[in-house]
Amino acid sequence: MSESADGGRGVRVVALSWVDNAGISRVKAVPVHRLEHADRWGVGMAPVFDTFLVDDSRAGGPGFDGPVGDLRLRPDLTRLTPLGAQPGWAWAPADRYGQDGTPYEGCQRSFARRMSREAEARGIELRMGFETEWTVEEDPRSAPALSGRSGPGPAYGLARLAGCGPYLLDIGDVLADQRIDLLQIHPEYETGQYEVSTAPESPVDAADTAVLVRHSVRALSVRHGLLSSFAPLTTPSGAGNGGHLHLSPWRSGSNLLHGGTGPYGMTREGEAFLAGILEHLPALTAIGCPSPASYLRLIPCRWAGAYQCWGRENREAALRLVTGPHAAADSANAEVKCFDQAANPYLVVGAVIAAGLAGVEEGLRLPSEYTADPASAPPAMLERLRVRRLPDTLTASIGHLEKSALLRRAMGDRLLDAVLAVRRAEDKLFAGRTAAEIVEATRRRF
């Protein structure tokens, strides 16, 4: 890495990261003088990581758990970023390749890129962005921290800035220094909970940014004497941390969710894209809500999007349409509310694109909009309107994913079978545990 590449900040080591099927960001690191070699030849990494679980045990299975074989991690240097919260370090996301240099069929980032290119081949450009929610608490191993950064206060309370203001300023400064376009940063609902929203990007860039934002927040939290968690739930009675995905499909520079004759001005193609996502949401929950802890968060009346329905600005719908200001075509987007940050963001964007493209190909139409809280409606009415609860356990979502011919075609056998192996193993791992035990076992893993 040249001085111009690292901004003259003395980067000495580069972290090469990927995200496994349990949603854990893994890493290998190389000294900066070896970066060119890593870019050309890659860094060795065993394929056994395909079936690592959240607790670092392994699901195993034929073709996944043997001691023989190796892959190559190759950094994407277009995203090489000096880490402002960790002087001397830089970060780059990595793709996985076989020893012969061919793309590895189990690589999640390659899957996201492949689906993005498939959309582009059909003339559709996707713009995506994640909301990042996290909670912090004082690290008992650190010196006493400034009061108020993890303490109680009103939800979204201005008063909380008196304690957490310096912490959020540092986060904003680091993200800006890393060329991340920050849209919002503020205290959230729960005690010690915060949220960052970033600008829309291409699907792979959006997933990369989600990984980088989370790591930057973790590192800055440590510097502030705080422990951060992006887990779906950090206390059994809490609202939890979402990983909402915002998206808009575009064609020839025009937003397909604006300027048409469909609901709220959607074009027919834009509506079909959203209808495909809505249609396949039960299977998508196994991708975007991958942990047993996810289903402790995904419950009605928590704004988690627990019902398979859509609605304009309906925060209880799994698919929320955000029309934005009337004249602002760029701002119209859809939010998938049911997902959380236990999910691998590359799997999320790839699977969502696959579902949306299927909707376009089949010419799907959205069902009637639901304009209230589904939890307050009689079950017979919801059934008549085709408004159903999304899977309420990991077991149920696995069943939908197993039956999804669409996601098997899109992901390929190697990737989907590894995902299913991890989901089944984690379902078994946490079987019979109480909510409190699941929360405690997972809240420090994400």
Side-chain angles (χ1 to χ4, degrees):
M1 178 187 288
S2 67
E3 182 173 319
S4 61
D6 77 353
R9 284 171 286 187
V11 169
R12 303 193 299 278
V13 185
V14 180
L16 314 182
S17 79
W18 79 104
V19 185
D20 69 16
N21 291 317
I24 304 296
S25 295
R26 308 285 180 178
V27 68
K28 281 206 165 182
V30 297
V32 71
H33 73 271
R34 295 286 295 176
L35 185 59
E36 183 177 349
H37 184 275
D39 180 39
R40 183 175 182 183
W41 300 108
V43 176
M45 172 51 60
V48 70
F49 278 91
D50 280 356
T51 55
F52 262 48
L53 308 187
V54 68
D55 68 345
D56 296 335
S57 62
R58 301 195 301 270
F64 291 110
D65 205 27
V68 179
D70 204 17
L71 301 172
R72 310 303 294 179
L73 291 174
R74 289 178 54 187
D76 182 348
L77 297 186
T78 67
R79 285 298 305 242
L80 182 64
T81 305
L83 293 173
Q86 292 184 284
W89 284 83
W91 165 88
D95 295 296
R96 295 188 293 164
Y97 291 82
Q99 293 281 44
D100 60 359
T102 58
Y104 176 53
E105 59 269 29
C107 177
Q108 301 89 348
R109 192 169 186 264
S110 296
F111 164 59
R113 183 184 300 106
R114 186 172 71 251
M115 295 313 304
S116 184
R117 288 176 176 170
E118 185 170 326
E120 291 169 0
R122 302 186 194 188
I124 297 176
E125 172 196 353
L126 273 303
R127 301 184 187 180
M128 294 182 164
F130 286 90
E131 293 181 21
T132 300
E133 296 177 351
W134 75 98
T135 53
V136 298
E137 60 184 88
E138 306 290 340
D139 186 346
R141 301 166 298 180
S142 301
L146 290 176
S147 176
R149 288 184 295 185
S150 63
Y156 299 89
L158 178 62
R160 287 169 62 180
L161 291 184
C164 72
Y167 172 60
L168 296 186
L169 277 177
D170 280 355
I171 290 173
D173 287 346
V174 163
L175 297 185
D177 191 48
Q178 293 172 169
R179 298 185 178 180
I180 294 174
D181 190 355
L182 180 63
L183 297 180
Q184 294 184 32
I185 181 168
H186 52 79
E188 245 276 358
Y189 185 81
E190 290 195 295
T191 295
Q193 187 179 41
Y194 303 98
E195 178 181 317
V196 159
S197 297
T198 55
E201 306 173 82
S202 73
V204 175
D205 282 338
D208 287 341
T209 294
V211 174
L212 180 56
V213 166
R214 279 185 250 180
H215 182 71
S216 300
V217 168
R218 286 190 197 100
L220 272 168
S221 297
V222 169
R223 288 175 57 176
H224 278 260
L226 300 169
L227 296 173
S228 59
S229 175
F230 301 85
L233 215 59
T234 56
T235 62
S237 59
N241 295 313
H244 309 160
L245 174 67
H246 288 259
L247 65 100
S248 55
W250 293 64
R251 181 179 290 280
S252 302
S254 296
N255 189 343
L256 297 176
L257 303 183
H258 180 91
T261 59
Y264 298 109
M266 286 186 270
T267 67
R268 300 283 261 187
E269 194 171 31
E271 179 187 357
F273 196 93
L274 298 192
I277 296 172
L278 187 63
E279 174 76 15
H280 293 280
L281 265 183
L284 292 174
T285 56
I287 302 295
C289 306
S291 168
S294 300
Y295 299 87
L296 302 177
R297 169 190 167 271
L298 190 61
I299 60 176
C301 304
R302 295 283 186 89
W303 291 13
Y307 284 87
Q308 187 183 6
C309 61
W310 76 279
R312 180 176 182 261
E313 300 296 4
N314 186 346
R315 289 172 172 81
E316 282 292 342
L319 187 63
R320 170 190 171 218
L321 180 66
V322 184
T323 53
H326 177 69
D330 287 5
S331 64
N333 68 91
E335 177 189 25
V336 185
K337 289 189 64 64
C338 51
F339 297 161
D340 62 56
Q341 290 172 97
N344 181 317
Y346 303 103
L347 290 179
V348 166
V349 300
V352 166
I353 293 171
L357 291 179
V360 172
E361 184 175 334
E362 297 168 24
L364 297 183
R365 294 290 172 261
L366 287 167
S368 298
E369 175 190 13
Y370 199 80
T371 59
D373 183 351
S376 64
M381 176 187 294
L382 295 180
E383 185 63 29
R384 186 172 65 253
L385 296 173
R386 293 192 298 158
V387 175
R388 301 180 176 91
R389 268 292 302 271
L390 288 173
D392 59 0
T393 64
L394 181 57
T395 305
S397 72
I398 290 169
H400 288 283
L401 184 59
E402 288 172 333
K403 293 183 289 187
S404 177
L406 168 70
L407 291 179
R408 182 163 291 279
R409 286 195 306 271
M411 298 172 70
D413 290 341
R414 177 76 184 187
L415 180 54
L416 182 62
D417 287 344
V419 169
L420 284 170
V422 169
R423 298 294 181 271
R424 294 175 187 131
E426 290 199 349
D427 199 28
K428 182 178 180 180
L429 178 68
F430 290 99
R433 298 203 197 182
T434 66
E437 289 170 338
I438 293 171
V439 169
E440 185 59 31
T442 56
R443 69 189 185 98
R444 290 284 168 233
R445 304 303 289 177
F446 299 104

